[in-house]
Structure formats: structure tokens, C-alpha cells
Amino acid sequence: QQKVQQSPESLIVPEGGMASLNCTSSDRNVDYFWWYRQHSGKSPKMLMSIFSNGEKEEGRFTVHLNKASLHTSLHIRDSQPSDSALYLCAASMNYNQGKLIFGQGTKLSIKP
Amino acid sequence: EAAVTQSPRSKVAVTGGKVTLSCHQTNNHDYMYWYRQDTGHGLRLIHYSYVADSTEKGDIPDGYKASRPSQENFSLILELASLSQTAVYFCASSDWGSRAEQFFGPGTRLTVL
């Protein structure tokens, strides 16, 4: 059973628009959520992480976390063509010594 | 300067042959990981290690072995490569703990024919 679910599978957003990506865990032992971005043919790079309820903003990127529902979301405002990538959500559990469980990813395409 | 490197960057192997993928890190991290990624999908953990000379099974270890001869080096071994093992393989390293960021290498594209 997949412990980390992402939605949607793919998303097309016009340039300058807002992209919203979702991620939910089915394991109540989640300690930390991570968002990684992977451009085509490249390796994943950590974008943002969150462990406290609420939101965290870094430039055009905002992450929300609701620990009660184990749901996190990533919002990208003023989307740019360079934001086109596979976005991977991952969760680390407090019993797992740093192991990450990844979701299947959301493929984001920004249309000029 | 790349802190996690992998070799080779791509490889074509024959079914039933032996394949060794290598990973080297200069982050001074204790933890190292091997993942596989199938086209357009997420990452699945194969093996990991938190100390030299010791390895642990991840979520999909069948058909793979791992070796950690030193803190800096971690290898993934396919003793009898199969078609289903065609994928991109990523190595990563991190400090200890659930709040430690993982840093990924550039990946190895493996094609088994």
C-alpha cells in the first residue's frame, strides 16, 4: 500500500499562473514532509521541507501542512516555464532513521 | 563541486549478466541510499546503509545486493540482471535522522537487453 499519495498526476498551468500540488500520507508516524523537484533527465533536488502545522514561504513557493489530516500542499505563484518538472513529495517517519517514502510525483507543465 | 557522484552514468547490460553501480560521496554523511526510478515515476528504496561494512534492505531489495566498503563508497550489485531492472538508479547521502535532507547523485541509466 502506497503510504504517500500525490495528486494530480499531471498539471498544466499557464505562465504567470498558480500551480497547486497535493500530497497525503497514510502513516500517522510522519515526522517531516519534503518536496523535491526533478527536471527532465536530472536528479531530484530538495525544494522545501515542513514539519510544523501552518505554512512556510520561500520566494514564489509556499508549502502548507495540516498535521491532523497528514496533508501537505505546494503552491507556486507566477509560474515560469523553468518550473516545468516532476514534483516529488516524500515523508520521513519518526521510526525510520531518515528513510524517505516518496509519492509517485506530479508532472507540472507551464505553458508560455 | 558535485558531492555525490555515480559511475557509470549509463550502461547497457545483457540479461543474466552481472552489473555493478558505484556511488561516491564527499559530504561526510553516514547514511547512503540506492533508489530506482521508472520512467516518470517516484523513487523506490532498494538498499541503504548507515555505517561502513553494513547494509540494510529497503522496500524493493529482491534481485539486488549492496556493499558499503567505506563511509564514502556504496555499490549496488545486480548478480543476474533481468529486463525488469531497466531503470534509472539514484544514489543519495544524508546525515542521521528523519529531518536530514538527502542529496542525490546524477543517476545511472541502466538498460538490460
Side-chain angles (χ1 to χ4, degrees):
Chain A
Q1 182 183 359
Q2 185 74 352
K3 288 188 175 181
V4 177
Q5 299 273 10
Q6 291 186 245
S7 64
E9 283 189 16
S10 62
L11 181 63
I12 300 173
V13 173
E15 184 175 355
M18 171 77 84
S20 295
L21 291 67
N22 297 293
C23 175
T24 303
S25 173
S26 59
D27 191 327
R28 297 218 66 84
N29 294 298
V30 169
D31 189 33
Y32 229 74
F33 277 102
W34 306 81
W35 286 95
Y36 279 79
R37 181 167 68 180
Q38 184 180 22
H39 287 108
S40 181
K42 303 294 186 182
S43 59
K45 297 278 193 296
M46 201 274 287
L47 194 59
M48 295 184 74
S49 61
I50 190 165
F51 67 95
S52 297
N53 258 334
E55 75 173 42
K56 183 177 174 182
E57 182 178 333
E58 291 181 6
R60 298 185 293 110
F61 299 87
T62 302
V63 172
H64 291 270
L65 175 61
N66 181 325
K67 292 200 87 169
S69 60
L70 298 178
H71 177 263
T72 180
S73 56
L74 173 68
H75 306 272
I76 308 172
R77 61 177 173 81
D78 189 22
S79 296
Q80 302 297 309
S82 59
D83 294 327
S84 295
L86 182 67
Y87 287 78
L88 297 165
C89 174
S92 51
M93 315 301 173
N94 54 24
Y95 57 80
N96 253 358
Q97 300 177 320
K99 283 169 54 181
L100 293 180
I101 299 175
F102 283 86
Q104 289 295 92
T106 292
K107 184 175 181 181
L108 175 64
S109 299
I110 307 300
K111 291 299 185 184
Chain B
E1 185 177 338
V4 181
T5 56
Q6 295 182 232
S7 62
R9 293 294 311 278
S10 67
K11 182 169 182 65
V12 178
V14 295
T15 305
K18 182 176 180 178
V19 176
T20 300
L21 307 182
S22 300
C23 178
H24 178 80
Q25 57 105 353
T26 58
N27 293 323
N28 198 32
H29 287 159
D30 287 328
Y31 279 75
M32 295 186 76
Y33 311 84
W34 276 108
Y35 293 92
R36 71 173 276 172
Q37 184 175 39
D38 296 285
T39 305
H41 289 88
L43 301 169
R44 292 185 288 171
L45 183 64
I46 306 170
H47 285 287
Y48 66 102
S49 168
Y50 52 84
V51 68
D53 295 323
S54 177
T55 63
E56 306 291 332
K57 293 181 179 179
D59 300 320
I60 54 164
D62 293 345
Y64 302 94
K65 291 183 179 179
S67 173
R68 182 92 181 270
S70 64
Q71 186 196 39
E72 299 81 14
N73 296 292
F74 192 34
S75 297
L76 185 69
I77 303 142
L78 291 66
E79 295 277 3
L80 295 170
S82 67
L83 295 172
S84 64
Q85 293 176 314
T86 293
V88 178
Y89 292 84
F90 288 101
C91 176
S93 74
S94 75
D95 277 324
W96 180 90
S98 62
R99 300 185 178 186
E101 178 185 348
Q102 290 190 15
F103 296 85
F104 286 82
T108 295
R109 181 173 296 277
L110 175 65
T111 303
V112 182
L113 302 175

